[in-house]
Amino acid sequence: MNNNSKVWVSELNARPEIRSAFPRTTVRFYDTTLRDGEQTVGVVLSPQQKLEIARKLDELGISRIEAGFPKVSAEDAEAIQLMQKANLQAELWGFSRAVRGDVEELVRLGLHASVIESPTSDIKLKAYGISREEVLKRIVDAVSFAKQNGITVAYFAVDGTRTDLDFLRRVYLAALEAGASEIVVVDTIGACGPEAVELLVREVCQWVGPGVPVHYHGHNDFGMATACAVAAVRAGASWIQGTINGMGERAGNADIGEIALALCCLYDVPVALDLTKVREVSEVVSRASGYTLEAWKPLVGENLFMRESGAVASQFHIPEAIEPYSSELVNAKRTIVLGKKSGLDSIDLKCKELGIAMAPEQRAPVLAAVKKFAIAKRGLLTDKEFREIVVAQNVVASPAGKN
């Protein structure tokens, strides 16, 4: 998917000692926006909103959609039923604790695949008042019951990154023996850096063998979720779990779009995702959740291809001089905006965009007026405000300026 005519990253990324560490097989994404993402403080998604988001995720190329946690939410059960009727290409997955009653609800709804989770770290086991032996018993019972009912299981070890490794190995192997077919390495509270994630995922891949797909599920508490997911892929994870916009508890989950972009552009790893649709899906999720994203957020921020600085505007016609990848890669529009930091080149570009004819000697007075207006406004000028300045400076707009 890496198109060199649209990607202008450092050639150092292509050094053999870096690229050779990554797989050439396609990395796929398991989206948990509708379950873990909804755990963002204050977010409540209706069944209809979940269906709308699921359709957008499907268009995006998400391979698996975690449709919800039906045992604890009647609305999730309703949303799942809506999605089942929507003829999505993506697989629909449920979410269940290692509790038989949770699995029975999956069976009732006719779901054929689910994550089954249980705590594994001593910290979490103590918090829940459960012993290691008890949790092992619960895992075996729930996974085997799911298997008996035709449900594909990915076993999810909660707080796995803070679990004693000998016990974690025992848990994963017990889950596989009970009928799980996939394993999830889970950094529940974002407690690992990329090096630790790589070490653990590589270890888990060795424990379970090449025939068992390994997922990575991370959180962004130290701002390293994307780096950790990339490290997980380098170590052998073939599935990455995450959310749109990095939604989730605390600092959020790993951001699927960011991870796909990094894998594709920096490491030339094929990904099962349509990058041209990420910004559209991001907007739908943001609107439904009621949150406004940072304008400078990677991949989806509104500022990414918007240029105010005069120094940068002078290079606007050479995108590779000021951007690491093409706006076309993510279906974004490049624009010039006017403000305090604008320069003469900014004025020229905006005039060309708006069809305004301006004599060379008029540029400097107009620029001065733009800067003065922006400072007073403490923000950017709209096109209407710029036109008003042009009129005030006695610049005559050409007929094309009416557009």
Side-chain angles (χ1 to χ4, degrees):
M1 189 171 181
N2 190 341
N3 184 335
N4 289 332
S5 67
K6 296 180 181 179
V7 179
W8 311 302
V9 296
S10 169
E11 291 182 3
L12 294 173
N13 295 297
R15 293 283 290 267
E17 59 267 36
I18 295 175
R19 283 280 172 86
S20 64
F22 286 87
R24 301 270 65 87
T25 51
T26 300
V27 171
R28 302 187 182 279
F29 294 94
Y30 175 109
D31 182 274
T32 182
T33 302
L34 304 181
R35 200 273 307 172
D36 218 3
E38 195 185 22
Q39 293 189 34
T40 304
V41 172
V43 171
V44 178
L45 299 173
S46 71
Q48 284 296 336
Q49 284 176 316
K50 289 193 173 187
L51 175 61
E52 179 190 12
I53 292 170
R55 284 181 167 141
K56 288 297 181 183
L57 294 174
D58 200 39
E59 292 173 12
L60 181 61
I62 292 293
S63 299
R64 293 175 177 175
I65 298 171
E66 192 170 79
F69 192 175
K71 179 61 178 178
V72 300
S73 170
E75 284 208 330
D76 276 15
E78 181 183 345
I80 288 168
Q81 290 172 318
L82 290 174
M83 290 178 224
Q84 287 172 322
K85 297 173 184 176
N87 296 317
L88 304 176
Q89 294 298 308
E91 296 175 14
L92 286 182
W93 280 58
F95 188 86
S96 165
R97 295 164 296 192
V99 176
R100 184 170 291 222
D102 287 13
V103 180
E104 286 172 345
E105 180 65 3
L106 302 176
V107 174
R108 183 186 75 82
L109 289 169
L111 280 169
H112 301 297
S114 182
V115 155
I116 291 183
E117 68 147 31
S118 68
T120 55
S121 70
D122 289 337
I123 295 171
K124 288 288 189 183
L125 291 174
K126 182 178 179 181
Y128 285 110
I130 307 170
S131 69
R132 287 184 174 185
E133 294 307 315
E134 174 62 23
V135 82
L136 273 170
K137 181 176 179 298
R138 293 185 184 186
I139 293 165
V140 170
D141 180 63
V143 171
S144 59
F145 181 69
K147 177 72 172 177
Q148 290 163 16
N149 283 277
I151 295 174
T152 299
V153 175
Y155 172 70
F156 188 102
V158 176
D159 206 18
T161 57
R162 296 194 299 174
T163 301
D164 173 77
L165 288 186
D166 288 339
F167 182 61
L168 186 63
R169 180 177 185 274
R170 188 178 169 198
V171 163
Y172 280 147
L173 295 181
L176 290 172
E177 188 176 347
S181 55
E182 303 182 15
I183 290 297
V184 189
V185 174
V186 190
D187 193 11
T188 302
I189 61 168
C192 276
E195 299 83 1
V197 167
E198 185 169 358
L199 182 151
L200 180 58
V201 171
R202 182 167 285 117
E203 190 86 356
V204 171
C205 287
Q206 291 174 353
W207 295 343
V208 303
V212 177
V214 172
H215 299 227
Y216 173 71
H217 177 113
H219 285 254
N220 201 36
D221 294 80
F222 290 94
M224 302 183 83
T226 295
C228 287
V230 169
V233 170
R234 188 165 54 235
S238 54
W239 286 89
I240 295 296
Q241 298 192 359
T243 62
I244 299 300
N245 297 333
M247 287 177 67
E249 287 186 287
R250 305 184 315 278
N253 286 51
D255 185 315
I256 281 176
E258 286 185 19
I259 296 161
L261 184 72
L263 289 171
C264 170
C265 294
L266 296 175
Y267 306 106
D268 202 22
V269 174
V271 294
L273 203 78
D274 185 348
L275 289 173
T276 65
K277 296 184 184 297
V278 176
R279 290 172 68 92
E280 178 186 350
V281 178
S282 166
E283 186 177 343
V284 169
V285 172
S286 179
R287 185 171 63 246
S289 65
Y291 276 86
T292 300
L293 299 178
E294 299 157 331
W296 50 85
K297 182 171 172 56
L299 179 56
V300 297
E302 66 178 41
N303 285 2
L304 299 191
F305 299 98
M306 186 183 291
R307 301 288 172 256
E308 177 191 357
S309 166
V312 173
S314 67
Q315 305 168 54
F316 190 74
H317 62 295
I318 312 172
E320 59 267 35
I322 54 176
E323 293 154 14
Y325 57 90
S326 169
S327 59
E328 295 175 13
L329 191 67
V330 295
N331 196 28
K333 182 181 178 183
R334 301 178 76 236
T335 57
I336 284 288
V337 292
L338 299 178
K340 174 187 174 183
K341 297 178 283 295
S342 295
L344 293 174
D345 287 302
S346 308
I347 299 299
D348 290 342
L349 287 165
K350 182 55 73 173
C351 283
K352 182 178 180 181
E353 177 188 325
L354 299 178
I356 295 173
M358 185 179 296
E361 64 271 14
Q362 293 174 312
R363 296 160 72 232
V366 168
L367 176 60
V370 164
K371 287 177 174 285
K372 182 178 179 181
F373 191 99
I375 291 169
K377 183 181 180 180
R378 301 184 67 81
L380 299 172
L381 279 72
T382 65
D383 287 348
K384 180 176 181 291
E385 289 165 342
F386 178 64
R387 290 181 189 278
E388 290 170 353
I389 286 176
V390 166
V391 170
Q393 293 292 323
N394 296 316
V395 175
V396 180
S398 70
K402 294 179 181 178
N403 60 10

